[in-house]
Amino acid sequence: MKLMIRVVHKVWLDRGGKAFGDGPCNLLKGIDKSGSLRQAAGNMGMSYSKAWRLLQTMEKRLGFTLIERKIGGSSGGGSQITSKARTFMRRYEKFRAEVKELTERAYQKHFRSLRK
Amino acid sequence: MKLMIRVVHKVWLDRGGKAFGDGPCNLLKGIDKSGSLRQAAGNMGMSYSKAWRLLQTMEKRLGFTLIERKIGGSSGGGSQITSKARTFMRRYEKFRAEVKELTERAYQKHFRSLRK
């Protein structure tokens, strides 16, 4: 079977360097689900220290806090994302999905007649 | 002055590997203007052999010829892009411009209220 030409796209936010993108978004989502930075990083095949440094960099560039330490309680601590991080993550997910759809649609529009 | 968060995006076409993108598009455009692969590559800071290999790879993946050798004549030869390459390049330029605008618009839509 002959392969179709397909469009690939990448999108991210920048503020004096990469400030947010798919990696940080998926990491925040994992923390929100698991309540643990260590577990969320592990599920993405990322070391705890790399995930921690990534979030530190994103926080610095975005200018707001993304995760907080959850102290004590029956679960014995962990991490949780801030409400601002949750809002930002959800906006980014909607934005990312929309860009994906618009890019695909633009490709169909401009290249449809050249497809084999 | 505080930096604004801005959106960055990259787009390319794939068919079992990168089949077309900004680099090949700009290279074809340069060949079309100068009539010379060597000159077009040089203007992009690319070696002749790298530019040649790039076009060979794109041709193989796209499945059609992009440039032809222009033999003899008063200008003493050189390279010219095929009419199919010209059509493809123009479509890609329109597609790329549209994706850029749509991405920017989607960013404004989803993140406007979070901008500082």
Side-chain angles (χ1 to χ4, degrees):
Chain A
M1 203 186 84
K2 205 165 180 181
L3 278 175
M4 295 279 286
I5 299 178
R6 67 189 181 95
V7 61
V8 186
H9 78 109
K10 282 189 192 291
V11 69
W12 66 92
L13 306 182
D14 180 285
R15 186 190 242 162
K18 194 169 178 173
F20 204 75
D22 291 356
C25 182
N26 298 340
L27 183 59
L28 287 181
K29 197 159 187 164
I31 297 166
D32 204 24
K33 273 189 188 165
S34 66
S36 158
L37 172 56
R38 190 174 299 279
Q39 197 176 320
N43 289 345
M44 290 173 68
M46 198 187 280
S47 71
Y48 176 81
S49 62
K50 189 177 173 187
W52 175 256
R53 283 196 307 273
L54 177 67
L55 291 175
Q56 293 286 304
T57 304
M58 302 296 105
E59 285 186 346
K60 202 171 152 190
R61 292 190 179 144
L62 290 173
F64 59 86
T65 305
L66 292 169
I67 66 164
E68 298 171 323
R69 201 113 197 91
K70 214 164 51 186
I71 311 268
S74 61
S75 62
S79 297
Q80 61 189 7
I81 72 173
T82 63
S83 68
K84 193 155 185 185
R86 190 172 293 108
T87 304
F88 198 85
M89 178 184 86
R90 287 184 181 153
R91 283 178 191 237
Y92 180 82
E93 286 182 310
K94 281 182 195 159
F95 163 69
R96 170 172 68 177
E98 188 169 317
V99 169
K100 185 178 169 62
E101 194 193 320
L102 292 171
T103 300
E104 187 58 49
R105 214 185 293 163
Y107 173 66
Q108 297 299 338
K109 175 180 150 190
H110 291 283
F111 288 98
R112 187 181 351 221
S113 63
L114 282 179
R115 285 167 64 199
K116 300 182 185 186
Chain B
M1 202 186 83
K2 204 166 182 182
L3 277 175
M4 296 278 285
I5 299 177
R6 68 189 179 96
V7 62
V8 186
H9 79 107
K10 280 190 194 292
V11 70
W12 66 93
L13 306 183
D14 180 284
R15 186 191 240 162
K18 193 169 180 174
F20 205 75
D22 290 357
C25 182
N26 297 340
L27 183 59
L28 287 181
K29 198 161 186 160
I31 297 166
D32 204 24
K33 274 190 188 164
S34 66
S36 158
L37 172 56
R38 191 174 298 279
Q39 197 176 319
N43 289 345
M44 291 173 70
M46 198 187 281
S47 71
Y48 176 82
S49 63
K50 190 178 172 183
W52 175 255
R53 283 195 307 273
L54 178 66
L55 292 175
Q56 293 288 303
T57 304
M58 302 298 105
E59 285 186 346
K60 201 171 151 190
R61 291 190 179 143
L62 290 173
F64 58 85
T65 306
L66 292 170
I67 65 164
E68 298 169 322
R69 201 112 197 93
K70 215 165 47 187
I71 312 268
S74 61
S75 62
S79 296
Q80 62 188 6
I81 72 173
T82 63
S83 68
K84 193 154 185 185
R86 190 172 294 108
T87 303
F88 199 85
M89 177 184 87
R90 288 186 181 151
R91 282 176 193 237
Y92 181 82
E93 285 181 311
K94 280 183 194 159
F95 163 69
R96 169 171 70 177
E98 187 169 318
V99 169
K100 185 178 169 62
E101 194 193 319
L102 292 171
T103 301
E104 187 58 50
R105 213 186 293 162
Y107 173 66
Q108 298 298 338
K109 174 179 151 189
H110 291 284
F111 288 98
R112 187 178 355 221
S113 64
L114 282 178
R115 285 167 63 196
K116 300 184 184 180

